[in-house]
Amino acid sequence: MMTLLKYDFRRNWNTLLAGLAVLIIVQLGLALFVSEVTGSIIGIIAYVGAGVAIYVKMIRTYRSNIRSYNRRLVPVNGLSHVLSPIIFGTICWLGLMIVAAIHYFIYSATHTGINFASFINDSGIHVSEIINLLLFLWWVALFGIIIIFLSISIGGSFRFKTGPWISIVAFFVLINLISWLENVIFSGRFNPNELFKFTEESTGLSVTSNRIIWSDGTWANIIFEIIVAVILVGVAVYLNNKKVEV
């Protein structure tokens, strides 16, 4: 798997560096030429866009792993074709969060303008809860990408030109089937809107955590999704080895 992972990084290295350079230039431009509130909002959107771009790159890397004839010549097992883009994307996301953290600390140390803490009270949120939220969001993204990977493998198992459309149909079928099973087993899926409580006050907006990210109900859902994810990965590996045409 490390062989394939190194190949993925070498193949995408120039794109990653170019994306990082563009992100830094955009953030510098916003800091120098745009008002504080507007620049901060656009800056956050830029980071979100970079995260989405990494997500798309994971999908494209996986498709290349299973459909490219050259990739099939790499001496790795079928599971590596699934795990390599997942690890690749996770490392890229960690790098993006490090860049965002550095940006935040530089902003906090040098900025003398509007203090957002005077408008948003987040004293009810601890660092551990932010870390838990990031881990929760990482799992949501990971589970979604596994479903997408299997959908791509299902579409690739057909020789017809309608393969991409079959992948799209497979994705929606899998999403609805898994959601239906969770609703049947757990009487309703966990609602992300319940993570935080927002209260509008005269001095601004108060944000407090409901501390339910890792509650018993959420753990049950995640354990169920882990079991489903293992099954989906197994099916994807089987299809990649036996059915998917290069």
Side-chain angles (χ1 to χ4, degrees), residues 123-137:
S123 58
I125 302 176
H126 303 294
V127 175
S128 61
E129 293 173 328
I130 295 176
I131 295 175
N132 286 336
L133 177 61
L134 292 175
L135 290 174
F136 179 79
L137 293 176

Side-chain angles (χ1 to χ4, degrees), residues 50-234:
V52 173
I54 293 173
Y55 206 76
V56 174
K57 178 63 69 173
M58 291 171 63
I59 296 172
R60 295 185 64 180
T61 299
Y62 176 75
R63 188 179 185 280
S64 178
N65 283 352
I66 66 173
R67 299 299 299 270
S68 173
Y69 179 76
N70 293 334
R71 289 297 185 92
R72 288 300 185 93
L73 298 178
V74 180
V76 294
N77 56 47
L79 182 61
S80 298
H81 291 295
V82 179
L83 296 182
S84 177
I86 290 176
I87 297 175
F88 167 79
T90 300
I91 294 175
C92 291
W93 277 329
L94 287 174
L96 182 63
M97 284 190 290
I98 291 173
V99 172
I102 295 173
H103 183 191
Y104 172 78
F105 286 118
I106 293 176
Y107 179 89
S108 300
T110 61
H111 194 71
T112 58
I114 299 174
N115 183 7
F116 285 98
S118 63
F119 296 92
I120 300 178
N121 176 22
D122 58 356
S123 58
I125 302 176
H126 303 294
V127 175
S128 61
E129 293 173 328
I130 295 176
I131 295 175
N132 286 336
L133 177 61
L134 292 175
L135 290 174
F136 179 79
L137 293 176
W138 172 79
W139 169 249
V140 171
L142 176 61
F143 188 67
I145 204 71
I146 290 174
I147 296 176
I148 293 174
F149 285 176
L150 177 57
S151 301
I152 293 174
S153 296
I154 293 175
S157 300
F158 293 87
R159 298 181 180 180
F160 312 109
K161 294 182 179 180
T162 55
W165 293 104
I166 295 175
S167 295
I168 294 173
V169 172
F171 171 77
F172 284 106
V173 169
L174 289 171
I175 284 289
N176 284 282
L177 178 60
I178 294 171
S179 296
W180 176 77
L181 286 175
E182 284 189 311
N183 287 328
V184 169
I185 297 174
F186 302 108
S187 299
R189 198 178 188 282
F190 172 72
N191 185 3
N193 294 327
E194 298 174 355
L195 287 175
F196 300 103
K197 180 180 179 181
F198 299 89
T199 304
E200 186 176 356
E201 301 176 350
S202 58
T203 57
L205 183 66
S206 177
V207 184
T208 56
S209 172
N210 289 327
R211 294 179 173 83
I212 59 173
I213 293 181
W214 302 116
S215 63
D216 293 340
T218 310
W219 270 117
N221 272 353
I222 291 178
I223 292 174
F224 170 79
E225 289 177 353
I226 290 175
I227 296 173
V228 173
V230 171
I231 296 173
L232 297 182
V233 169

